[in-house]
Amino acid sequence: MSRHDAVSNETLETRYDEYMMPIWKSLNVPLRRASDCTVEDFDGNEYLDVFSGISVTNVGHRNDAVVDAAKAQLDEFVHGCSYVHPNRPVADLAERIAEITPGDLRKSFFCNSGTEAVEGAIKLARKYTGSKEVVALEMGFHGRTLGSLALTGNHTYKREMGPAINDAVHAPAPYRYRWGADADSEAAFADRAAAEIEHVIGTHTSDDLAAIVVEPVMGEGGIVVPPKGWLERVAEIAHDHDALLIADEVQTGYGRTGSMFATEHFDATPDILTQAKGIANGLPLGAFTASPEIADAFESGDHLSTFGGNPVACAAALATIDELEGGIVAETAEKGAWLDDELAALEDDFDVVGDTRGLGLMQGIELVDPTETGPRGAAPAPAKALAATVGDELRDRGIIVGVGGYYKNVVRFQPPLTITTDQLDRTLGELRAVLEEVTADA
């Protein structure tokens, strides 16, 4: 088949099967065109996108300002390797990131993806501290290259892929719904979960700690929001061991949680902050940012990226930040608060909805089997098959959501931040209808 021939959903999927290596296709919606919060497939079907390519198109698909900025830069030059030829889009973006990131985070390194940002942040932490070991979280996700995979706390991604970093250990995640039910309060659970990290350092490391790396809100782990006080305590633990706190904001950054960065919800400032996904609204770009003292530990040649800081992507990122600061972040906080209440109502109405949680427009609905006890006995058993069914049924009704979490039982709402309340209300109405249908059949 020629690439100039007519394409349908079926012919496109056939070509993927023939010419592409096996990949994750769980959404199963071939993409022909997208605009703001809607996407269209090759058979003319239109969908409301409530997943935004895994939290990427934060200011909407094909945002005019972002597209115009990228086109304008294309007319100037496309590539010069930002670490060989200094150029204005890179300098402007680096300065802008210094203005919007928390604390004294000031100097950035640009790369192409979140995985690369995490890898680079670990290298910088090792160089600055002179230490090697890293603590990450069980169920955490930091990428699929061998180094970042060593930090990822999920065997699903690791099978037959022995990680290259042997100095990574994992502590329990602050997953209160699953194993925090016996805590007296949120503060008590925060202390207990932080103490687990201290315990892992004492039992699994050799006192050579370079960093603790965490997601402020765990995305692939199932939209797990830590209790207040936990991140602050983790930062203290890192510093007590002369190590750094790395906040992986690849999925949570750029307005997703109702603030520019999720760490702003907590009274803790990371030493290094990683970014990607929403940074350029779909153009490939990643970054990690640190204070001048930490950043200057890198010497010339310690780290490099041929395509990192591509000027077209940087121009798009600058336009994305302008759009976010034009009111989208504040509106995300408001819509998130409304969505919190609406999702909480599902817990009251459906026994299979075990927990709803999130910040801003990063929300999760954990589906359970109330007749079975789950792992560690603190909550009902995860309902993986039910979650898959709900995702499929919503897609058939023209709505794309994510389905994931460590137990694959969490329906994920991570739409473009430009989504309207009416569109969210439509999504909730369809979700409620699906839940009523599938539970009636049980």
Side-chain angles (χ1 to χ4, degrees):
M1 177 179 182
S2 167
R3 63 188 176 89
H4 301 293
D5 294 339
V7 176
S8 67
N9 288 350
E10 182 179 2
T11 59
L12 186 66
E13 290 170 349
T14 297
R15 291 165 69 189
Y16 259 61
D17 290 339
E18 186 170 356
Y19 300 112
M20 293 283 289
M21 294 185 187
I23 57 171
W24 181 45
K25 293 194 296 182
S26 67
L27 297 180
N28 202 29
V29 176
L31 184 63
R32 178 182 178 274
R33 188 173 180 83
S35 178
D36 200 15
C37 296
T38 60
V39 300
E40 181 184 330
D41 68 16
F42 287 85
D43 294 342
N45 301 304
E46 189 173 272
Y47 301 85
L48 176 60
D49 184 6
V50 192
F51 201 41
S52 61
I54 317 182
S55 288
V56 170
T57 53
N58 285 10
V59 298
H61 289 283
R62 209 158 41 86
N63 177 284
D64 287 342
V66 176
V67 171
D68 289 346
K71 285 180 176 178
Q73 182 56 43
L74 282 167
D75 287 335
E76 298 296 326
F77 60 94
V78 175
H79 172 73
C81 184
S82 60
Y83 298 101
V84 173
H85 298 290
N87 61 78
R88 184 170 179 178
V90 169
D92 286 351
L93 180 58
E95 182 177 8
R96 194 67 177 279
I97 289 175
E99 294 169 352
I100 64 173
T101 47
D104 190 31
L105 302 179
R106 184 173 178 83
K107 291 191 174 184
S108 294
F109 182 100
F110 293 116
C111 48
N112 304 286
S113 69
T115 297
E116 292 177 49
V118 169
E119 294 258 7
I122 296 301
K123 285 181 66 175
L124 178 59
R126 285 180 159 191
K127 185 69 186 292
Y128 175 76
T129 63
S131 299
K132 296 293 185 291
E133 294 172 316
V134 182
V135 173
L137 295 182
E138 296 171 356
M139 307 190 322
F141 183 84
H142 301 286
R144 297 175 191 256
T145 57
L146 291 179
S148 59
L149 194 60
L151 306 177
T152 293
N154 188 336
H155 78 282
T156 300
Y157 305 113
K158 295 187 176 193
R159 284 194 292 257
E160 301 177 295
M161 305 286 177
I165 295 178
N166 295 319
D167 297 321
V169 296
H170 293 82
Y175 194 177
R176 193 179 181 198
Y177 175 68
R178 279 281 154 208
W179 41 80
D182 58 336
D184 294 334
S185 64
E186 182 177 23
F189 179 65
D191 289 342
R192 183 157 63 91
E196 290 287 345
I197 293 179
E198 187 72 77
H199 177 74
V200 165
I201 293 171
T203 57
H204 291 275
T205 73
S206 61
D207 198 26
D208 190 38
L209 190 64
I212 302 175
V213 54
V214 301
E215 302 161 86
V217 176
M218 299 177 75
E220 301 303 310
I223 318 298
V224 176
V225 182
K228 293 287 186 181
W230 176 83
L231 190 61
E232 296 89 329
R233 184 71 189 103
V234 174
E236 292 173 359
I237 292 170
H239 297 157
D240 287 345
H241 290 273
D242 298 322
L244 304 182
L245 174 64
I246 298 175
D248 182 346
E249 293 244 27
V250 167
Q251 196 164 147
T252 55
Y254 292 90
R256 172 57 51 191
T257 64
S259 60
M260 190 63 79
F261 296 99
T263 48
E264 295 172 40
H265 292 282
F266 308 99
D267 190 21
T269 300
D271 299 297
I272 306 175
L273 188 148
T274 66
Q275 308 134 67
K277 290 192 182 293
I279 187 173
N281 208 51
L283 275 75
L285 184 65
F288 56 98
T289 305
S291 68
E293 178 185 352
I294 294 170
D296 289 345
F298 266 171
E299 300 173 86
S300 178
D302 278 347
H303 203 49
L304 195 65
S305 172
T306 300
F307 295 105
N310 173 272
V312 179
C314 288
L318 285 161
T320 298
I321 294 169
D322 285 342
E323 291 289 284
L324 290 169
E325 292 191 322
I328 290 176
V329 176
E331 291 167 3
T332 297
E334 295 173 3
K335 285 181 279 195
W338 176 85
L339 187 57
D340 281 339
D341 293 337
E342 296 296 314
L343 292 178
L346 295 176
E347 290 184 57
D348 297 330
D349 296 340
F350 296 95
D351 290 341
V352 296
V353 178
D355 191 36
T356 59
R357 54 186 179 256
L359 290 174
L361 291 178
M362 186 174 183
Q363 300 279 343
I365 303 102
E366 180 153 1
L367 300 181
V368 299
D369 179 353
T371 68
E372 298 286 341
T373 301
R376 306 197 185 187
K384 176 181 177 180
L386 176 61
T389 297
V390 169
D392 289 345
E393 290 292 329
L394 284 171
R395 184 192 63 227
D396 291 344
R397 293 167 180 255
I399 295 175
I400 298 170
V401 296
V403 175
Y406 178 77
Y407 299 103
K408 309 301 181 190
N409 69 320
V410 177
V411 177
R412 296 165 59 180
F413 281 19
Q414 294 169 267
L417 306 183
T418 52
I419 195 169
T420 66
T421 302
D422 285 344
Q423 289 171 321
L424 286 170
D425 195 48
R426 174 193 163 195
T427 302
L428 289 165
E430 295 289 4
L431 174 60
R432 182 174 287 274
V434 168
L435 289 172
E436 289 173 347
E437 183 177 299
V438 297
T439 53
D441 295 338

